Amino acid sequence: MFGLFVVYGVRSLGLSAPILGLIFMIGSIGSGIAAMLSAQAVRRIGLGPTIVWPGILGSVFFVLAPLAHRSTAVPFLLVGVVGASALGMLFNVNQLTLRQAITPARLQGRMNAIVRFMYWGPQVVGFALGGVLASTIGLRGAIWVGVAGSTVAMVPLAFSSERRIEKLPRPAEAAEPLLPEPPAVLGAADA
C-alpha cells in the first residue's frame, strides 16, 4: 500500500507532488503529538491497551485513502494520515518500550535485528505484489487490499494477553543476571 500511495494520489486523485508532500508533512505532526502524549495514555488506559487499540485503529484510518475521490482527496488523506501516524506512533513507542524492557541486555541486539528483519524484510515482496495488484485490479483496488491486509494483521492483538498489561514490567535484568555466578573456589579451609 505504501509503495502505491504517491502514485495513487497523483494518478487517481489528481494531487500534485507539493500537495501530497504537504499532506505527509501535516500528517507527521500527529506522530509528534502522540509521542508527547504517550506516557499520559499509558497512565490513563494501561500499557497493553495503548499498544493494542492504536495498532488496530491506526490501520483502520487508512480506509480513508481508497474512499477518497478527487473532490475529497485532501481532507480524506489528511485525516487518514494524521490519524494513522498518531495512532501508529502510540503503538510503536509502547511496543518497542515493552520489547526492550522484557529482553535482557545481552539479547537486545539480536531481538532488534530479528524484529527489524520481520518488519522491513517482507516489504520488498509487498512492493512487488502491490505493483502486480495495481496493474491487475487498479490502484484503488490495490490500496483496498493493503488497508484490509494491514488491519487484519493487527486484529490478533485484540485477543492477545498483551491487552491486559497495565504497566511496564520489571526490566529483564532484574529478574535474570547478565552473567552467571562464577563457580565457588574451594580454599584449604573449606576442604
Side-chain angles (χ1 to χ4, degrees):
M1 178 175 67
F2 295 120
L4 300 173
F5 207 83
V6 171
V7 177
Y8 171 71
V10 170
R11 290 187 186 169
S12 298
L13 300 178
L15 298 173
S16 66
I19 294 295
L20 273 172
L22 194 60
I23 289 170
F24 287 126
M25 182 191 77
I26 293 169
S28 67
I29 293 169
S31 294
I33 292 169
M36 289 188 297
L37 298 176
S38 178
Q40 257 184 320
V42 170
R43 279 193 301 275
R44 185 168 295 227
I45 65 172
L47 179 63
T50 306
I51 295 170
V52 170
W53 302 117
I56 295 168
L57 296 174
S59 60
V60 171
F61 261 92
F62 284 118
V63 78
L64 291 171
L67 289 176
H69 292 282
R70 286 181 182 255
S71 61
T72 60
V74 172
F76 275 42
L77 293 183
L78 198 52
V79 170
V81 171
V82 168
S85 68
L87 291 169
M89 181 60 71
L90 278 177
F91 168 79
N92 274 322
V93 164
N94 290 294
Q95 63 84 18
L96 177 62
T97 302
L98 176 62
R99 277 192 289 121
Q100 289 180 334
I102 63 175
T103 303
R106 70 180 186 281
L107 299 176
Q108 288 285 335
R110 281 184 251 176
M111 178 270 298
N112 278 312
I114 290 167
V115 170
R116 298 272 179 204
F117 176 76
M118 288 173 26
Y119 282 176
W120 305 111
Q123 280 191 355
V124 175
V125 176
F127 289 143
L129 288 174
V132 169
L133 270 175
S135 62
T136 306
I137 64 173
L139 284 165
R140 190 178 306 273
I143 298 287
W144 273 116
V145 170
V147 169
S150 64
T151 303
V152 167
M154 295 302 239
V155 167
L157 286 173
F159 304 101
S160 72
S161 60
E162 189 172 342
R163 65 187 161 82
R164 292 189 296 275
I165 300 171
E166 299 218 5
K167 59 184 179 175
L168 197 60
R170 197 173 83 184
E173 284 76 24
E176 181 182 335
L178 288 177
L179 299 172
E181 291 291 322
V185 178
L186 296 176
D190 297 325

